Amino acid sequence: MPRNPMPMLLAALLTIALAACGKTEAPAVQADGTTELVVKIGAAAPLTGPQAHLGKDNENGTRMAIDDANAKGLTIGGRKAHFELFSEDDQSDPKTATIVAQKLVDEKVNGVIGHMNSGTSIPASRVYSDNGIVQISPSATAVAYTAQGFGTAFRVMANDGQQGRVLGEFAAVNLGAKKIAVIDDRTAYGQGLADEFIKSAQAHGAEIVAHEYTSDHAVDFTAVLTSIKGKQPDLLFFGGMDPQGVPMLKQLRALGVQAKFMMGDGGYTPELIRLAGTAAEGAYASLPGVPLAQMPGGKEFAQRYQAGFKQPIQLYAPYCYDAVNVMIAAMQKAGSADPAKYLPALTKSDYDGVTAKIAFDEKGDLKGGAITLYQVQHGKWQPLQTMGGASAPAAAH
Amino acid sequence: MSILLQQIVNGLVQGSVYALVALGYTMVYGILGLINFAHGEVVMVGAMVALMVVQLLITSALAPVLVLLIALLVAAMACMALGYGIERIAYRPLRNAPRLAPLITAIGMSIVLQNLAMMIWGREYHPFPALLPHSPHLLFGAIINDVQIIIVLVALAVMAGLLLLVHRTRLGRAMRAVAENPGAAMLMGVDVNRVISATFMLGSALAAVAGIMVSVNYGIVHYYMGFMLGLKAFTAAVLGGIGNLRGAMLGGLLLGLIESLGAGYIGDLSGGIFGSNYQDVFAFFVLIAVLVFRPSGLLGERVAERA
């Protein structure tokens, strides 16, 4: 029993005030008498925590697509559509992801762009599936994401089965690594990618001399790196994201280990070079898709992004942009923003995006996804070669 | 052999950082019986402020070591002001409230500081310029660089300084008096509020030192860096006996060594059943064992029981 009713009263008032903030405006009546169709696009990515810089990049990409769509004044089923973004922070935490997913469901969004990580996309996909909401992840690459058979889960990026295979082959064959050490961050993404990498590297004749682990919150890796140093590998592969990749790379070199360093798409960021400095030189990473400069609309997209947000693209913004647009295109084709109605149109998508031509296979995976390998040369990511993918042009040096 | 030695060096360096941060936790706990969960965030603010100063002065003709000292001074003052502010806003009004209340405001303070830092300094990782020499030295096959040597020395020096302060100065005597019995201390003419403020400011200045050491060592600063560090340092403080300065030092060094040796050898020793993914589990397992068999920590709380 509260002795003083004031705090309770204040709390109640605050709740009402906050609730009022969240209320959406009534749809505006158009000149021709029809009401404007409000389409709610949900977005989920880590906006706080170690991967906040990547999550914000995703949000920016999504926002850019929505602003563009509103500027174009698109119509869906003859009604003028107004798109609204509902952006949520999943903290790259699987538990939070399901809470955020439920929040978006309660908000009655018409579709979700997200989540950013595999570890969050997978548990959230059940919530969306149970409520019949379409989910397109720009960047969840774990095989398990689309393997659940939900029918509502899509992605616009090649998965880790493809990526791990290419990375393992590149390490063992092209780089000639005989003894390989692997570290993964125990997330759905890092673990999945590392496992695929190991299978592929072993199939191509390399020996895995160590498999060590870390977490997606760690900053000190000297213990596992020292243990790895004792096994004298030619190459160290890290399945994880750049917040761990940068200190790992620096500590690896500080311990005097000269082994080659390789990551998946989680390492292909300008941050890796900016923060690791000279230690980054010679590091390898991959990214599903072709280099930005070779994407159909890549250059123009990068310029507009820079102009709009006053910073360069981190990683997945173009994929978010495409994910929104392929969703909107399906809504237009179906003449409805109702997920149940535009879902069939989405499965038959054939959309020329910024990143690639987007079409889905029966699981919801991107058809013919290409993987490009990059190396840091003279402080810049340079594309080495593009493997796989039907429409992938050969990378220029 | 050189690998084992390297793991011990790794553990000592990491442990010294834990110890520096743990000292801040333990000081506040010793006086107030309060766990200041915002302490990790104060470390982060210290690092951020230092980075701002360094960025301003890096282009000047000043020697790098001098730049770092100025940054340290500014960061320490900013953190002292912050520590004072945190105590005034979040803890003093709750001085006589049940113990759960200040614990909750402490966690709230930590979240507020994290989000403020995110708004001020952004979500991205900032590189911290290498102001101290990083040249590696070979020590019987193990590599240790200058920065790491400095970290260990600074941690030892800070602890020695704190012990002197607590046992040899008027302020120290007042702090011990307040820790023992605030009411009686007040009756004896000790300005309890001033002593508590001084404790917070001192702890926060230490946090600034720790923040700079971490930044120089890893070369990266981020608004989230204080969170995990704070948790580990708290663990270290409990391990050594929270409220006890020597205990914080011992706990920090032990935790560093346990993590390093645990992560480095558990995989090979257990034949691959356990891997380095048990690094944190290992550390917390030791913590649980200590709490079960020696609830007051390895060295125990030196502060007398409160009335």
Side-chain angles (χ1 to χ4, degrees):
Chain A
M1 200 58 191
R3 273 159 294 177
N4 182 352
M6 266 316 276
M8 296 292 283
L9 202 65
L10 273 175
L13 278 175
L14 202 67
T15 317
I16 295 166
L18 283 175
C21 293
K23 225 159 95 188
T24 46
E25 307 136 46
V29 178
Q30 299 298 297
D32 57 4
T34 58
T35 51
E36 193 179 62
L37 178 70
V38 175
V39 181
K40 297 176 178 177
I41 307 277
L47 300 176
T48 57
Q51 296 173 21
H53 60 301
L54 300 176
K56 190 70 187 169
D57 186 53
N58 275 30
E59 193 199 78
N60 288 346
T62 309
R63 188 179 297 282
M64 211 167 132
I66 287 177
D67 288 348
D68 283 0
N70 282 332
K72 276 186 220 146
L74 299 176
T75 56
I76 292 176
R79 284 167 77 189
K80 188 173 180 308
H82 180 75
F83 298 91
E84 280 179 16
L85 175 64
F86 289 79
S87 181
E88 292 291 343
D89 175 16
D90 67 21
Q91 301 170 9
S92 59
D93 172 46
K95 286 190 299 293
T96 313
T98 54
I99 298 169
V100 160
Q102 190 58 48
K103 206 170 154 196
L104 288 173
V105 166
D106 294 344
E107 198 65 67
K108 297 197 170 46
V109 294
N110 300 82
V112 174
I113 306 301
H115 296 207
M116 185 181 100
N117 308 87
S118 298
T120 50
S121 298
I122 294 168
S125 61
R126 170 168 291 280
V127 180
Y128 299 129
S129 164
D130 287 350
N131 292 281
I133 289 176
V134 171
Q135 172 191 16
I136 305 181
S137 173
S139 48
T141 47
V143 176
Y145 169 58
T146 51
Q148 305 169 99
F150 282 153
T152 46
F154 297 82
R155 66 173 131 219
V156 291
M157 190 178 261
N159 69 32
D160 289 339
Q162 297 156 285
Q163 194 174 195
R165 262 197 302 281
V166 166
L167 281 166
E169 184 187 339
F170 188 78
V173 178
N174 300 44
L175 300 179
K178 294 273 164 281
K179 291 160 84 179
I180 296 178
V182 176
I183 302 179
D184 79 61
D185 68 0
R186 298 324 267 171
T187 62
Y189 161 72
Q191 193 176 343
L193 185 64
D195 289 348
E196 293 292 340
F197 172 85
I198 289 173
K199 266 190 255 165
S200 168
Q202 282 173 333
H204 288 94
E207 183 198 353
I208 305 298
V209 293
H211 188 174
E212 298 287 349
Y213 312 95
T214 183
S215 79
D216 59 348
H217 280 78
V219 284
D220 193 288
F221 309 96
T222 46
V224 289
L225 292 176
T226 301
S227 164
I228 282 173
K229 181 186 179 181
K231 295 176 177 143
Q232 300 175 326
D234 312 320
L235 185 139
L236 171 61
F237 178 80
F238 173 50
M241 306 296 287
D242 70 351
Q244 278 68 47
V246 169
M248 186 181 290
L249 190 46
K250 289 175 88 160
Q251 288 159 25
L252 182 73
R253 298 299 179 232
L255 283 170
V257 182
Q258 294 309 319
K260 296 183 177 84
F261 183 79
M262 183 186 259
M263 283 179 72
D265 52 312
Y268 176 72
T269 62
E271 293 295 273
L272 188 97
I273 298 171
R274 194 170 70 89
L275 297 171
T278 50
E281 202 60 31
Y284 298 90
S286 65
L287 186 66
V290 295
L292 189 71
Q294 290 169 32
M295 287 177 185
K299 265 197 185 125
E300 189 225 342
F301 181 84
Q303 283 165 0
R304 286 177 51 216
Y305 185 97
Q306 176 76 39
F309 301 107
K310 310 280 177 258
Q311 61 184 37
I313 295 168
Q314 283 293 342
L315 193 49
Y316 304 123
Y319 298 88
C320 295
Y321 186 84
D322 275 359
V324 177
N325 281 323
V326 77
M327 186 182 274
I328 292 178
M331 289 175 180
Q332 286 189 292
K333 214 191 299 172
S336 168
D338 180 358
K341 297 212 173 101
Y342 79 78
L343 182 61
L346 187 66
T347 57
K348 292 192 220 62
S349 285
D350 187 16
Y351 179 81
D352 284 312
V354 170
T355 58
K357 188 179 199 54
I358 294 172
F360 300 110
D361 67 10
E362 65 284 358
K363 279 200 215 148
D365 278 337
L366 184 70
K367 262 189 204 165
I371 314 274
T372 305
L373 284 139
Y374 299 82
Q375 186 183 26
V376 180
Q377 293 171 354
H378 310 293
K380 272 210 173 76
W381 282 113
Q382 295 293 343
L384 296 178
Q385 66 183 104
T386 299
M387 298 160 95
S391 57
H397 275 269
Chain B
M1 185 60 208
S2 67
I3 295 291
L4 174 66
L5 203 65
Q6 183 72 58
Q7 294 291 23
I8 292 173
V9 167
N10 297 342
L12 283 179
V13 173
Q14 184 69 20
S16 299
V17 173
Y18 290 158
L20 263 179
V21 184
L23 285 173
Y25 274 104
T26 228
M27 272 176 71
V28 168
Y29 186 87
I31 304 276
L32 280 178
L34 160 78
I35 295 160
N36 178 18
F37 272 116
H39 193 64
E41 266 55 57
V42 179
V43 174
M44 173 269 297
V45 170
M48 287 290 189
V49 171
L51 176 67
M52 283 170 76
V53 175
V54 167
Q55 281 171 342
L56 264 180
L57 296 179
I58 194 87
T59 45
S60 68
L62 293 171
V65 179
L66 203 61
V67 171
L68 196 68
L69 283 179
I70 297 172
L72 181 65
L73 209 65
V74 177
M77 291 205 294
C79 284
M80 283 163 92
L82 181 67
Y84 178 78
I86 292 175
E87 197 267 328
R88 277 309 287 268
I89 295 167
Y91 303 143
R92 192 175 293 183
L94 295 170
R95 185 82 46 83
N96 298 313
R99 290 183 77 158
L100 195 59
L103 195 69
I104 292 170
T105 49
I107 293 170
M109 211 59 219
S110 156
I111 296 171
V112 167
L113 286 176
Q114 238 181 59
N115 282 281
L116 273 179
M118 187 175 80
M119 284 155 75
I120 298 171
W121 292 294
R123 290 173 165 86
E124 62 271 24
Y125 288 72
H126 305 282
F128 197 93
L131 292 169
L132 293 174
H134 269 87
S135 46
H137 303 284
L138 218 53
L139 192 80
F140 305 110
I143 295 174
I144 184 165
N145 65 38
D146 298 333
V147 173
Q148 293 173 318
I149 296 173
I150 291 170
I151 287 176
V152 177
L153 292 181
V154 165
L156 289 173
V158 164
M159 193 199 64
L162 262 185
L163 282 176
L164 273 181
L165 184 128
V166 170
H167 292 287
R168 293 273 183 276
T169 65
R170 276 177 68 88
L171 176 65
R173 197 185 306 152
M175 283 162 82
R176 279 178 293 149
V178 173
E180 211 154 301
N181 190 328
M186 195 167 67
L187 290 175
M188 293 297 134
V190 176
D191 187 342
V192 173
N193 278 336
R194 255 194 58 191
V195 171
I196 290 175
S197 287
T199 308
F200 266 88
M201 288 163 76
L202 210 59
S204 302
L206 292 186
V209 176
I212 290 176
M213 288 297 145
V214 174
S215 316
V216 171
N217 190 26
Y218 295 127
I220 299 172
V221 182
H222 187 233
Y223 81 91
Y224 202 67
M225 63 187 278
F227 181 71
M228 204 52 181
L229 186 61
L231 274 188
K232 290 282 175 69
F234 169 65
T235 309
V238 175
L239 186 61
I242 192 155
N244 181 318
L245 294 178
R246 289 189 188 86
M249 197 71 195
L250 178 73
L253 290 177
L254 264 183
L255 188 68
L257 283 172
I258 289 167
E259 278 193 0
S260 182
L261 294 173
Y265 287 101
I266 190 167
D268 292 346
L269 288 183
S270 67
I273 301 167
F274 296 108
S276 41
N277 44 339
Y278 285 83
Q279 176 169 9
D280 291 346
V281 179
F282 212 59
F284 289 122
F285 180 75
V286 172
L287 176 72
I288 291 170
V290 167
L291 284 180
V292 168
F293 295 109
R294 265 192 81 91
S296 54
L298 290 176
L299 294 188
E301 197 178 347
R302 280 177 66 89
V303 190
E305 277 299 312
R306 229 168 280 248

